[in-house]
Amino acid sequence: MSNGSYPAMLSLPLKPPISLNFKTLNPSKIKCCKSQIETERGHSFDTGDTFFRHESSTGRDLAVLSAAVHKKTHNSLRVLDAMCGCGIRSLRYLAEANADFVLANDANQDYGELISGNLEKAGVGKERWAVKHLEANRLLTERYLERDYFDLIDVDSFGSDSSFLRSAMCAVKLDGLMYVTCTDGYSSGGHRPQHTLAAYGAYVKPMPYSNEIGLRMLIGGALREASVLGYHVVPLFSCYSYHGPVFRAMLQLKRGKFPIKRHYGFISYCVQCGNSQSISWDKLSQMRCSCNNVPGSLVVSGPLWTGPLHNTSFLTEMLNLAEDWGWLGNETGKRMENLLNIMIGESDPKLPFGYIKVDEVSSRGKINSPRLNSLLHALHKEGYAASRSHIASNAIKTNCPMVDCVRLAKELQLCSVTDDEKLNRFIEA
């Protein structure tokens, strides 16, 4: 199996193995893995003492749908689950996405029997899966050195650990997928700019759409790492979940460096007028807001990914597949259907980065908050691109300037007052 002409991989800092003196361990203090049976999408599995969250099931649903769509297109699906925990996602890759092979890895050797027991429930031959217990970067590096490449590499990491990005890119096939994660909401909110600069190469300041900034920070960091190797990544979808919080992105690795001026730059937000704009590297010294902002009103973060968060056609295939599998319709399915439809709406290339909260519109206009659907309808009627945001339920994504959003909200309130007056006159009559 070949991955094309990858350049020699840059050295990765690998930690030496931990040395344990088993003679000094007290057997009575060694913790046994307890049994904790859970069920997800009809699959019964044991979580034991591993870290497991029910709330992450949506992220696993999206991963399995993506894997199945990729196999349909490429007729191959070899998956490496680098931080598999109890192995539920590996189980679902086998049972639902019909993966040809899954390598489930967790650094904790105590979970070996539990992971194997869960994978056996997939009902496939043992030649289609294997379990490893290595540090993720070491495993990815070994796979690269052995020229053992994968169609999908899933790294469900904790915090803002971005050290795996480059090693994962070296072990994934060209046009293959990488499912990457960040759970550092404190940094994405702009509270540790030096930390985000070290982890993702972006200096992030507090902005009103910080949770979208977290996704763009993650994608931008991956794009930077890919460029070092002579490649680039394209986001097929990205998703924010409030629990954690969790920032996820499904990225496709492509040959060739990405044009530095396209979809990778700085994002500014003007506190004075509420508008946002992108700033390219060569225009940094000239940045200013069109409202002739007062000194200190412009907040700048970057460099970040400034392009679309999702791919419309890929999400549409995921939605169609979810319907074929019977995942849509009931209460749980309704949430999945709404999420995918909103993300498809967000993938409109006319929509800029960021979102506008309806509360901010009402605050700037000194009016009551308009109904979100009414505001969306008014924006479409005026010719603006607009959609809901999957990140914030009371927010919209639009290319409409803030001043026009406020104007439309005021007109909606005036129409509402007029309608109420008509209703009162009718009642009095």
Side-chain angles (χ1 to χ4, degrees), residues 388-418:
R388 288 176 173 269
S389 167
H390 85 274
I391 298 173
S393 59
N394 67 330
I396 58 173
K397 291 180 68 65
T398 181
N399 57 357
C400 177
M402 178 64 77
V403 63
D404 286 331
C405 285
V406 172
R407 172 181 60 80
L408 290 172
K410 287 182 176 180
E411 291 176 1
L412 288 172
Q413 186 181 55
L414 182 61
C415 290
S416 177
V417 170
T418 303

Side-chain angles (χ1 to χ4, degrees), residues 339-357:
L339 174 61
L340 288 172
N341 278 320
I342 291 174
M343 290 165 70
I344 289 172
E346 287 180 311
S347 65
D348 185 345
K350 295 178 183 177
L351 292 175
F353 47 81
Y355 50 79
I356 298 174
K357 291 183 178 179

Side-chain angles (χ1 to χ4, degrees), residues 120-179:
E120 287 175 355
K121 297 176 183 179
V124 301
K126 290 188 177 181
E127 72 280 357
R128 288 177 58 184
W129 57 268
V131 179
K132 291 269 189 182
H133 301 289
L134 295 173
E135 190 270 336
N137 270 323
R138 180 178 177 181
L139 175 66
L140 292 166
T141 303
E142 285 186 357
R143 294 305 88 210
Y144 164 75
L145 294 174
E146 293 292 329
R147 295 183 177 274
D148 183 18
Y149 304 113
F150 290 81
D151 297 281
L152 192 158
I153 292 182
D154 187 326
V155 190
D156 189 13
S157 62
F158 181 79
S160 55
D161 181 12
S162 60
S163 63
F164 59 84
L165 286 172
R166 193 177 303 183
S167 53
M169 288 171 187
C170 288
V172 72
K173 295 179 183 178
L174 287 172
D175 294 325
L177 310 183
M178 293 171 47
Y179 199 32

